[in-house]
Amino acid sequence: DAILITRLSDENTQGISAVLERKSVSPVYPQIGHFFANILETRKDKEKEKQDEEERDKLLVNVVSEGNTMIENLRILNLKPQICFRDNICDPINLYHKVGHGKLDMYVLNPSKESREVKEFLNRWGDDMGHLGKFKSGINVDGKELWLPIANLVSICALLIWQPSNPNDTITRLLFPGSTPQNKIFKGLEKLRKLECLKYPACSPSTLKENKTNSRSEKKKRMQKNDTKNTQPDNSILEKKEKLAKRRQEKLKKKKRRGKDRKKKERGKEKRRQEKEEQEKVEKEKKDKERLEKIEKKKRADKEKRDKERQERKEKEAAAKQEKEEKLKKEASLRKEKEEKEAALKKDKEDKEAAMKKERRQT
């Protein structure tokens, strides 16, 4: 990912500074690949910087101090702020390029490298002025002098242009104005008059190519018309008729070609729609199959669980029944032993009583 800091003022420096400080402590998202900002490192004595820091009011925001802090945090992240100034050629900065996909270019419209505001901003940054975020500078707009914050005058204004590899895809243009005044944005756009994609409200590589071919053919026709007027003035009526006929034929050809292109696009759209529907159908069938398999699996698991519980219940009942039978057998055996003992005792008692009676009779 790339970060673009359009301006450095009292309102926005602390937010991004806190983000960079947090990332320098631990690797948190988002990952930063490039950092575009007009931040300069001030070469200052550390003792003097420490003394100024102690004397400075902690409640006031110092843009230069926050900028130096951001540079330190970027150094920890192995990053360096990339300066964005517009030169006379206005060459693009390529941000992304993938073969078969497309490319993303960034055109810097403001600030101009040679402008008075940039030089003043750089000088005041080097002086480490604590009130740089609120400092104002004057500019001339339509004969009137306006005083605006210097942070707005040197604010980065960038135009992003996505050029797809597919010639039928639309070229996308995004303007990030930042806090740049309107007249400076117009000056920057004036430098990009050579770009064909800015001459139409919507375009694609194929339409740009077609328009370029048409403009060349029209220019060629105008030149031929001028030549014929100068060389053969007597046959002007006949030539006009021939040109009109040719023009009609070309219009018919263009109309047929556009109709073919439209039909081709419609067929392509229909094909993509059918492929999408087929894919959605396959995905739906796959999801339904997975859902049915899950339901079947759940049913089998529930059945196995019930069978297992039933088997365990039967085993428990059989074990309890066997335990009960053994208990009854044990109680019966104990009862029988007890009865046998009581019968033996009773017999012994009767034998003793009979013996005693016999002895009494004898005596």
Side-chain angles (χ1 to χ4, degrees):
D1 295 333
I3 290 180
L4 173 65
I5 306 299
T6 56
R7 69 188 186 283
L8 295 169
S9 62
D10 297 346
E11 290 83 10
N12 68 334
T13 50
Q14 287 183 305
I16 189 63
S17 179
V19 172
L20 295 176
E21 187 174 358
R22 177 69 177 87
K23 284 187 65 63
S24 65
V25 175
S26 60
V28 295
Y29 285 96
Q31 299 296 337
I32 302 174
H34 298 280
F35 192 88
F36 296 95
N38 292 335
I39 305 175
L40 303 174
E41 187 174 4
T42 56
R43 301 184 179 277
K44 194 174 180 181
D45 187 18
K46 290 186 177 180
E47 293 183 359
K48 188 178 180 182
E49 186 176 356
K50 187 177 180 182
Q51 185 179 357
D52 292 345
E53 186 69 26
E54 291 175 353
E55 293 176 356
R56 188 179 293 125
D57 190 349
K58 302 294 181 182
L59 297 178
L60 297 177
V61 178
N62 189 319
V63 174
V64 178
S65 176
E66 292 292 337
N68 293 332
T69 305
M70 282 192 271
I71 290 175
E72 290 296 326
N73 291 326
L74 287 171
R75 190 178 289 114
I76 295 171
L77 298 172
N78 294 324
L79 292 173
K80 187 178 180 182
Q82 299 188 30
I83 305 300
C84 293
F85 290 126
R86 189 195 79 227
D87 53 13
N88 292 328
I89 305 173
C90 205
D91 290 330
I93 301 170
N94 183 255
L95 302 179
Y96 175 82
H97 188 194
K98 186 176 181 181
V99 178
H101 188 209
K103 66 174 182 176
L104 179 65
D105 292 332
M106 181 173 74
Y107 294 85
V108 179
L109 306 183
N110 191 70
S112 175
K113 192 175 182 180
E114 303 299 329
S115 66
R116 179 181 59 82
E117 294 85 7
V118 169
K119 293 177 181 178
E120 186 176 1
F121 178 79
L122 296 178
N123 290 334
R124 293 185 180 280
W125 184 282
D127 295 340
D128 192 6
M129 299 182 67
H131 59 278
L132 181 60
K134 297 180 180 178
F135 184 81
K136 292 186 177 182
S137 181
I139 59 169
N140 190 350
V141 180
D142 297 332
K144 296 180 181 179
E145 189 175 16
L146 298 177
W147 288 86
L148 299 173
I150 195 168
N152 293 357
L153 296 176
V154 298
S155 171
I156 298 175
C157 175
L159 176 66
L160 298 184
I161 298 180
W162 167 252
Q163 297 188 5
S165 295
N166 189 347
N168 295 322
D169 288 347
T170 305
I171 297 174
T172 305
R173 300 153 296 185
L174 296 174
L175 178 66
F176 292 90
S179 297
T180 309
Q182 190 181 54
N183 68 318
K184 287 188 172 290
I185 296 176
F186 290 156
K187 285 181 181 178
L189 290 172
E190 189 70 19
K191 298 285 184 180
L192 301 180
R193 285 183 301 172
K194 60 181 180 179
L195 294 179
E196 291 291 328
C197 63
L198 296 181
K199 296 179 181 179
Y200 307 96
C203 59
S204 63
S206 59
T207 57
L208 288 179
K209 189 176 180 181
E210 186 179 347
N211 292 332
K212 195 173 181 181
T213 306
N214 292 338
S215 63
R216 284 180 180 175
S217 62
E218 287 176 2
K219 188 177 180 181
K220 190 175 180 181
K221 287 175 187 176
R222 285 196 299 269
M223 290 176 68
Q224 289 176 353
K225 187 177 180 180
N226 292 331
D227 291 340
T228 52
K229 279 184 179 180
N230 294 329
T231 55
Q232 298 177 354
D234 298 334
N235 300 326
S236 59
I237 297 172
L238 183 62
E239 288 175 359
K240 282 181 181 179
K241 288 181 179 180
E242 290 177 354
K243 286 177 181 178
L244 287 172
K246 286 182 180 179
R247 198 173 297 168
R248 288 195 197 98
Q249 289 179 356
E250 287 177 358
K251 283 183 179 179
L252 288 171
K253 286 181 181 179
K254 284 182 182 179
K255 193 174 181 181
K256 288 180 181 178
R257 187 165 58 250
R258 287 173 184 170
K260 287 180 180 179
D261 293 341
R262 187 164 57 252
K263 286 181 181 178
K264 190 177 179 181
K265 286 181 181 179
E266 288 174 356
R267 284 197 298 270
K269 285 182 180 179
E270 184 66 21
K271 188 178 178 182
R272 286 195 295 272
R273 186 183 64 78
Q274 289 177 358
E275 289 175 353
K276 188 177 179 181
E277 287 178 355
E278 189 68 26
Q279 188 177 359
E280 288 176 353
K281 187 179 178 182
V282 171
E283 289 178 355
K284 187 179 179 182
E285 288 176 355
K286 187 179 178 182
K287 286 180 181 178
D288 292 340
K289 188 177 178 182
E290 290 176 354
R291 184 170 56 81
L292 290 173
E293 287 177 354
K294 285 181 180 179
I295 292 170
E296 193 66 28
K297 190 176 180 181
K298 188 178 180 182
K299 283 181 180 178
R300 285 198 300 269
D302 293 341
K303 187 179 178 182
E304 289 175 359
K305 187 177 179 182
R306 286 195 300 271
D307 293 342
K308 189 176 180 181
E309 289 176 354
R310 195 182 296 115
Q311 185 67 26
E312 289 177 354
R313 193 162 55 248
K314 285 181 179 179
E315 290 175 357
K316 284 181 181 179
E317 288 175 356
K321 187 177 180 181
Q322 187 178 358
E323 187 179 353
K324 188 176 180 181
E325 288 176 356
E326 288 177 358
K327 189 176 179 181
L328 290 171
K329 286 179 181 179
K330 192 174 181 181
E331 287 177 354
S333 63
L334 289 172
R335 193 162 51 249
K336 188 176 179 182
E337 287 177 3
K338 187 177 179 182
E339 288 175 355
E340 288 176 355
K341 284 181 181 180
E342 288 177 353
L345 289 172
K346 189 176 181 182
K347 189 177 180 184
D348 291 340
K349 189 176 179 182
E350 288 175 354
D351 291 342
K352 284 181 182 180
E353 287 179 354
M356 285 174 69
K357 284 180 182 180
K358 192 175 181 183
E359 283 178 0
R360 278 196 212 102
R361 287 195 197 103
Q362 287 178 359
T363 54

